[in-house]
Amino acid sequence: MIIIGVDEAGRGPLVGSVVAAAVAFPDNFYIEGLTDSKKLTEKKRESFYAQITQHCHWAVAEANSIEIDQINILQATMLAMKRAIIDLQEEYSKYKGKTIFNVMVDGKHCPDIPNCIAIVKGDLNEPTISAASIIAKVTRDRQMRELDSQYPQYGFAQHKGYGTRKHILALSKYGPIQGIHRHTFSTIKEFS
């Protein structure tokens, strides 16, 4: 039986995808200091990201801003998680054959996946969920830096899409970006 930890990054921002990661550790794998990605420095997250992606089985998936607007952020989060879990299970099964997976998700809700449990604050207490938290956060932060290079006037690299003062000022000056901002979010509706 293989344990898969799952977490997301990007539920709260006003822009971009919600990113989910799924991680399964190999036997006897351990990293000292794994915890919720938000409690780590960027340098530490990048270090852990390198170790996890090098030694573990992992997958990343997302639901973009258009999907978020169509089905709402909770359902989009569940969709991204389901995509990541299925990708990891399929990839793992190619190399290991038929396998039973137990899935642990950070939070209160599980996507529609067999053998799944939701654990509130799981990213603090379950190492595979902590690892997934790190993979999701680093991936999304990199997406925001890339978006910043395309739209530097919004400051995405600094605020990662959250509704900071700088972001709100940019929205009032330039308006929301079609297909990138989440147009069903109340803050964005004010500027549409």
Side-chain angles (χ1 to χ4, degrees):
M1 184 181 333
I2 302 300
I3 295 173
I4 296 175
V6 183
D7 202 0
E8 55 70 32
R11 280 183 69 166
L14 307 175
V15 66
S17 298
V18 60
V19 175
V23 176
F25 289 171
D27 292 339
N28 303 314
F29 180 78
Y30 177 76
I31 299 177
E32 179 70 35
L34 279 180
T35 189
D36 175 7
S37 63
K38 294 181 291 298
K39 298 196 175 293
L40 301 169
T41 64
E42 183 176 354
K43 182 177 178 180
K44 195 68 168 172
R45 281 193 301 267
E46 288 285 348
S47 172
F48 284 159
Y49 178 94
Q51 293 176 65
I52 295 161
T53 56
Q54 181 177 1
H55 298 291
C56 300
H57 302 280
W58 61 280
V60 171
E62 60 188 72
N64 65 33
S65 58
I66 295 168
E67 291 172 308
I68 292 167
D69 285 342
Q70 289 172 342
I71 61 175
N72 79 43
I73 188 61
L74 175 60
Q75 295 310 311
T77 301
M78 295 299 106
L79 178 60
M81 287 181 169
K82 185 173 183 174
R83 288 170 173 166
I85 294 163
I86 289 170
D87 287 352
L88 178 58
Q89 289 174 336
E90 288 176 355
E91 191 64 28
Y92 194 95
S93 295
K94 279 183 196 174
Y95 297 103
K96 301 287 186 176
K98 189 171 172 70
T99 306
I100 296 173
F101 299 97
N102 279 343
V103 179
M104 298 186 302
V105 174
D106 181 57
K108 296 179 181 178
H109 305 282
C110 275
D112 183 23
I113 292 285
N115 303 321
C116 184
I117 60 166
I119 303 172
V120 174
K121 298 191 186 294
D123 53 1
L124 290 171
N125 304 310
E126 294 292 340
T128 56
I129 298 176
S130 300
S133 168
I134 291 162
I135 298 296
K137 173 96 172 106
V138 169
T139 301
R140 189 171 194 289
D141 284 357
R142 289 175 179 178
Q143 289 178 351
M144 289 295 98
R145 285 193 293 275
E146 177 62 31
L147 202 56
D148 187 73
S149 70
Q150 297 172 46
Y151 303 97
Q153 67 273 28
Y154 289 89
F156 295 134
Q158 289 77 42
H159 56 66
K160 308 298 189 278
Y162 284 92
T164 64
R165 186 173 185 275
K166 181 176 183 174
H167 193 178
I168 299 303
L169 288 172
L171 281 165
S172 67
K173 187 171 183 179
Y174 305 108
I177 305 165
Q178 195 62 36
I180 295 175
H181 276 96
R182 300 172 182 178
H183 293 269
T184 55
F185 280 35
S186 59
T187 303
I188 301 301
K189 284 182 182 179
E190 293 175 29
F191 299 102
S192 295

